[in-house]
Amino acid sequence: MSATPSPSEYLSRLNPEQRAAVETLDGPLLVLAGAGTGKTRVLTTRFAHLLMTGRAQPHQVLSVTFTNKAAREMRERVGAIIGRPVEGLWLGTFHALAARMLRRHAELVGLKSDFTILDPDDQTRLLKQVMEAGGVDMKRWPVAGLMGIIQRWKDRGLTPGRIPVAESSDYANNRAEALYAAYQARLVALNAADFGDLLLHVTEILRTNPEVLERYHRLFRYILVDEYQDTNLVQYLWLRLLAQGHRNICCVGDDDQSIYSWRGAEIENILRFEKDFPGAVIVRLEANYRSSRPILAAASGLIAKNEGRLGKTLRPGRADASGEKVRVVSLWDSEEEARMVGGRIEEAQRAGQDLSEIAILVRAGFQTRSFEERLVTQGIPYRVYGGAKFYERQEIRDAIAYFRAMVNPADDLAFERIVNTPKRGLGDTALATLHRAAREQGVPLRIAAGQLIQTDALRPRPRAALRDLLEGFARWHAGLESLGHIVVASQILEESGYIEMWKQDRTPEAPGRLDNLKELLRAMGDFGTMAAFLEHIALVMENDQNAEGARVSLMTLHAAKGLEFDMVFLPGWEEGLFPSQRSLDEGGNKSLEEERRLAYVGITRARRHCIISHAANRRIYGNWTSTIPSRFLDELPPEEVVREGAEPVRHIPSSVFGAGPLSSQRRPRLIEAGAWEVAARPAREGGFAAGQRVFHQKFGYGRVIAVEDDKLDIAFEKAGQKRVLDRFVDPA
């Protein structure tokens, strides 16, 4: 076992601001820890310092994290600093610590100490039973909608009977609160709690039982909180109650990285810290050890535009902080943007850059598709961090199954996937009957279904539902030639009820799923027929999913928080996409500031290279539409930015936009707009010309024979003459 270090040994590893945060032990302390400033080092060293100086025993420190991974890392680091394993800690996530407390005092809320914690599926099943017992029409009022309302109330610390008018809901004809009360009663009867109950119950116990609260005041001499800017209201209330004793609470966070309001986080919690804890000390960690000076200056200049912040300015903490400026690349269209990103990744790879140190960070999940396809074309391995690859997402697989089943009546796998999606009343009995008929007659399921609906083998409701679906397939297939595959695809998703199913879904993921479906339709504009599109999908999905080794990371900006890479691409910086029009419409200036914080998070993920891009044209479904560069581009300090590419649309100052959404007079056709007809891509300046030598990833080198819009006839040196889309070739 290593010798116990002296305080001077581990304190000497800290810069002056970090050391001040570690040594300020008495009273409330807020540590504003900018991106890359050593937040984890400060937290773990402070914890170790409390133990090493005898200020507290391990069980007298309450240390709260947001993830189990962060809790494990803190436990290991504290043990490494003090030279021995640390036992008996109150260290963990909000939910883990609350569950530990609740088991001690379960009887105070009508539970037993061995209560069960329900998973999300069990919660939904139980709430569905409550709604059925209450006679709620769940087609009109989906269970996911009520679950979302109840979760929001629990996140805000609101028990049944204490819902203020401002927080009330008209769900199910103003019955949400009564259903909430019935759901809570059922949980108690089952000796169960859901995740929201853990903090809700404990907060209620502390609020209504002074002797229990006093016991914890005596137990916890110090409180440490990580990622304080991400706390919701019930977490805030729990912490405030526990901190009323010694007031030795240290919260570490960054108001400039508060980006999770959509899941209940309240930036006001960190902004009002000084008001909540009079006499609080604020220590700002501003020395960044991650990024180069130009990247830090660009990020700081951007975030300074926010008014709702406590204020700090990142500065380089590394000795080698010089580096290249942030690059803003203006491109003609979204396909050229994907080619640019893919090309620069190839260049970096040839120069020895590890692919695992490269990331593409997008504002919305649907944006990954074009980059995934480009990386597949180039043979560059990648992974989608925090989610499935585009064509593996549930809603995309469902939609493709509809298209396959429509084109090919013998595709049983596709038909089976969607025959009861959305729910059509085709239960297990009806599906078993259908499968039996198909086996007995030796025909595909869809053919067997057509025969079954002519008999009484099925009950009236499933028989009618199956008839409607089969008639739909016949109608959609007949429309392929006259209407085109994009219009038919949109009709399938609308008329089948699939789009409506996700519109009625109240989970946070539902809007993203709808955006992904729009992006799927947009992708179809690159292909002349449904068959060609489905063949392309099959080839893309055939790409080796299990390749070992380094991969480029694709993820949303929200998923990137806490990560860092040598090279970061930030595509799609256009009004309506980033900042998100949906966010601006729903939240005005408050949402705009959160979008700006998201941009700040994106830039500060980069260590050495940050490439921001925007396109002048994007295809929205089948149609090309012009875009306006994001207001955030004009907010970057010009001296820290290098602009590349022709400027197809001038930047419009933020003052023109105002705080919220664009007015109808000056709003461009944004991401939600679009028509179904397939339009030609706008003529491109400096496009390909006959006689020009080009390179194609699959066919190799060739020479352009003729140009027709974005289609090129090319005589390839080895593959012969082919017609290809210009987005898949590069000048040689």
Side-chain angles (χ1 to χ4, degrees):
M1 182 177 293
S2 60
T4 301
S6 65
S8 60
E9 185 177 335
Y10 56 78
L11 291 176
S12 65
R13 303 168 191 163
L14 307 175
N15 67 31
E17 293 89 354
Q18 293 172 335
R19 184 160 181 166
V22 167
E23 293 187 302
T24 304
L25 298 179
D26 296 323
L29 171 68
L30 176 62
V31 181
L32 287 178
T37 57
K39 167 179 69 75
T40 304
R41 170 173 286 190
V42 166
L43 267 173
T44 53
T45 307
R46 180 183 172 87
F47 199 150
H49 192 58
L50 287 169
L51 304 183
M52 293 293 292
T53 56
R55 289 295 193 101
Q57 296 301 309
H59 66 274
Q60 294 176 317
V61 181
L62 177 69
S63 186
V64 192
T65 65
F66 265 85
T67 66
N68 290 315
K69 179 183 176 183
R72 285 194 302 272
E73 185 178 358
M74 182 174 290
R75 184 185 302 273
E76 291 167 2
R77 288 201 186 191
V78 170
I81 291 174
I82 68 175
R84 64 180 186 277
V86 188
E87 303 297 338
L89 298 178
W90 279 81
L91 166 61
T93 64
F94 279 97
H95 287 108
L97 294 169
R100 184 174 170 184
M101 287 183 176
L102 185 56
R103 293 206 184 275
R104 291 186 170 193
H105 312 287
E107 72 285 352
L108 296 177
V109 288
L111 297 172
K112 299 175 183 176
S113 61
D114 62 348
F115 64 84
T116 300
I117 301 174
L118 301 187
D119 63 25
D121 286 343
D122 290 335
Q123 295 172 35
T124 300
R125 203 157 36 244
L126 180 60
L127 186 57
K128 187 176 180 181
Q129 294 173 9
V130 170
M131 294 173 72
E132 286 174 344
V136 178
D137 180 356
M138 282 183 283
K139 287 186 176 179
R140 184 179 178 190
W141 307 103
V143 64
L146 181 56
M147 182 59 74
I149 293 168
I150 290 175
Q151 188 58 56
R152 188 186 79 227
W153 281 338
K154 291 186 176 184
D155 285 347
R156 298 189 66 76
L158 299 173
T159 56
R162 291 178 51 218
I163 312 295
V165 174
E167 299 280 353
S168 62
S169 170
D170 59 1
Y171 185 91
N173 299 318
N174 300 309
R175 295 179 59 195
E177 190 172 345
L179 292 167
Y180 177 24
Y183 171 67
Q184 292 301 98
R186 284 288 293 146
L187 283 168
V188 171
L190 293 170
N191 191 35
D194 65 22
F195 280 101
D197 284 329
L198 299 176
L199 277 156
L200 182 72
H201 283 328
V202 170
T203 301
E204 195 66 10
I205 289 169
L206 297 178
R207 193 178 65 83
T208 57
N209 295 271
E211 69 287 352
V212 175
L213 180 60
E214 177 59 30
R215 191 182 313 168
Y216 284 109
H217 285 169
R218 290 195 301 271
L219 175 62
F220 300 135
R221 296 181 60 82
Y222 292 91
I223 299 175
L224 302 177
V225 187
D226 192 12
E227 303 285 10
Y228 189 59
Q229 78 282 347
D230 293 335
T231 53
N232 61 31
L233 197 55
V234 73
Q235 291 164 344
Y236 163 81
L237 293 172
W238 179 67
L239 289 169
R240 278 206 66 184
L241 284 164
L242 292 172
Q244 286 174 357
H246 292 282
R247 296 181 76 247
N248 294 329
I249 180 170
C250 170
C251 294
V252 180
D254 184 1
D255 52 325
D256 289 336
Q257 295 189 72
S258 179
I259 58 174
Y260 296 123
S261 66
W262 49 275
R263 67 185 190 196
E266 298 267 0
I267 189 175
E268 289 79 9
N269 291 352
I270 192 169
L271 295 180
R272 66 180 176 221
F273 188 87
E274 286 182 284
K275 182 178 179 181
D276 290 338
F277 299 100
V281 174
I282 296 184
V283 173
R284 289 171 168 81
L285 303 184
E286 299 176 309
N288 175 284
Y289 297 93
R290 173 189 302 161
S291 306
S292 65
R293 189 203 60 75
I295 289 173
L296 295 179
S300 295
L302 176 66
I303 200 63
K305 304 296 183 183
N306 271 6
E307 296 177 1
R309 62 190 295 257
L310 295 171
K312 63 184 176 308
T313 302
L314 295 182
R315 65 179 188 275
R318 295 182 355 214
D320 60 341
S322 59
E324 70 173 38
K325 295 182 178 183
V326 172
R327 297 185 176 273
V328 173
V329 186
S330 302
L331 299 150
W332 182 248
D333 61 28
S334 48
E335 306 300 340
E336 189 174 15
E337 182 179 53
R339 276 208 307 274
M340 180 275 293
V341 171
R344 295 198 184 200
I345 290 175
E346 272 192 335
E347 291 174 11
Q349 187 180 24
R350 285 196 295 268
Q353 177 67 64
D354 186 342
L355 289 180
S356 64
E357 289 294 343
I358 301 175
I360 305 170
L361 311 182
V362 297
R363 173 61 183 88
F366 73 84
Q367 291 175 262
T368 68
R369 186 202 60 82
S370 59
F371 299 104
E372 289 186 53
E373 295 204 1
R374 187 62 190 171
L375 294 175
V376 167
T377 300
Q378 294 177 269
I380 297 174
Y382 72 93
R383 66 167 182 161
V384 177
Y385 187 97
K389 294 185 176 182
F390 184 82
Y391 291 114
E392 295 174 357
R393 295 168 189 171
Q394 175 191 340
E395 62 278 9
I396 301 302
R397 284 185 175 273
D398 287 346
I400 291 171
Y402 266 108
F403 303 159
R404 284 170 44 193
M406 182 265 298
V407 169
N408 180 8
D411 194 332
D412 279 359
L413 290 175
F415 185 78
E416 189 173 23
R417 182 180 180 101
I418 53 83
V419 67
N420 201 37
T421 304
K423 299 293 184 184
R424 297 186 172 90
L426 294 166
D428 293 342
T429 301
L431 292 176
T433 302
L434 176 58
H435 278 277
R436 185 168 58 251
R439 284 196 305 272
E440 290 173 353
Q441 299 172 46
V443 296
L445 288 172
R446 185 171 153 190
I447 304 302
Q451 296 170 355
L452 268 184
I453 61 175
Q454 307 300 325
T455 71
D456 294 329
L458 295 175
R459 292 181 178 179
R461 184 184 172 196
R463 186 165 69 242
L466 206 50
R467 179 181 291 110
D468 287 346
L469 180 61
L470 295 180
E471 289 175 352
F473 279 130
R475 182 173 65 256
W476 299 324
H477 194 273
L480 273 177
E481 188 171 341
S482 59
L483 300 175
H485 61 297
I486 301 178
V487 174
V488 168
S490 69
Q491 288 179 343
I492 291 173
L493 298 179
E494 291 282 358
E495 295 174 9
S496 66
Y498 193 74
I499 291 290
E500 186 61 26
M501 179 185 82
W502 289 118
K503 284 182 177 177
Q504 293 299 323
D505 189 292
R506 303 301 176 90
T507 62
E509 296 78 23
R513 294 187 191 277
L514 290 168
D515 283 342
N516 289 338
L517 292 169
K518 293 177 185 177
E519 177 65 11
L520 180 69
L521 295 172
R522 192 215 71 75
M524 298 176 76
D526 292 339
F527 300 88
T529 66
M530 178 69 79
F533 177 65
L534 291 176
E535 180 181 336
H536 169 75
I537 299 301
L539 292 173
V540 169
M541 295 184 71
E542 188 183 33
N543 184 44
D544 184 12
Q545 304 295 322
N546 300 309
E548 297 295 328
R551 294 166 174 248
V552 173
S553 295
L554 271 75
M555 68 190 82
T556 64
L557 287 160
H558 284 101
K561 186 169 175 290
L563 304 177
E564 56 186 80
F565 305 89
D566 279 347
M567 175 177 280
V568 169
F569 292 91
L570 300 170
W573 281 41
E574 297 137 28
E575 284 297 312
L577 183 53
F578 192 38
S580 158
Q581 192 65 40
R582 182 186 295 131
S583 294
L584 297 187
D585 289 343
E586 292 176 357
N589 189 64
K590 185 175 181 180
S591 290
L592 173 61
E593 295 214 341
E594 181 158 335
E595 291 285 299
R596 192 176 284 112
R597 292 194 293 272
L598 199 53
Y600 170 85
V601 166
I603 294 172
T604 54
R605 297 313 92 195
R607 296 193 195 102
R608 302 186 183 280
H609 308 284
C610 180
I611 301 98
I612 302 171
S613 58
H614 68 98
N617 301 281
R618 285 194 185 271
R619 195 196 292 273
I620 309 302
Y621 309 144
N623 210 13
W624 286 94
T625 186
S626 298
T627 66
I628 291 178
S630 170
R631 67 188 78 188
F632 297 153
L633 294 175
D634 274 331
E635 295 175 356
L636 296 170
E639 65 276 10
E640 306 298 345
V641 172
V642 173
R643 297 190 183 271
E644 302 178 15
E647 195 68 42
V649 180
R650 71 178 182 86
H651 290 292
I652 298 179
S654 300
S655 57
V656 175
F657 292 109
L662 297 168
S663 70
S664 58
Q665 287 79 19
R666 46 196 171 85
R667 181 187 301 213
R669 295 176 66 193
L670 298 172
I671 204 73
E672 292 82 3
W676 293 114
E677 66 273 9
V678 181
R681 181 168 68 179
R684 177 211 300 271
E685 296 178 11
F688 294 95
Q692 184 174 355
R693 195 162 185 262
V694 295
F695 176 78
H696 187 280
Q697 187 73 24
K698 181 177 180 181
F699 303 129
Y701 289 98
R703 198 166 294 278
V704 177
I705 300 172
V707 179
E708 180 186 338
D709 183 44
D710 60 349
K711 300 177 183 65
L712 307 177
D713 290 320
I714 302 175
F716 288 100
E717 294 170 3
K718 295 183 179 179
Q721 185 171 328
K722 305 223 178 253
R723 169 167 279 204
V724 299
L725 295 171
D726 65 4
R727 63 186 58 87
F728 294 117
V729 299
D730 294 303

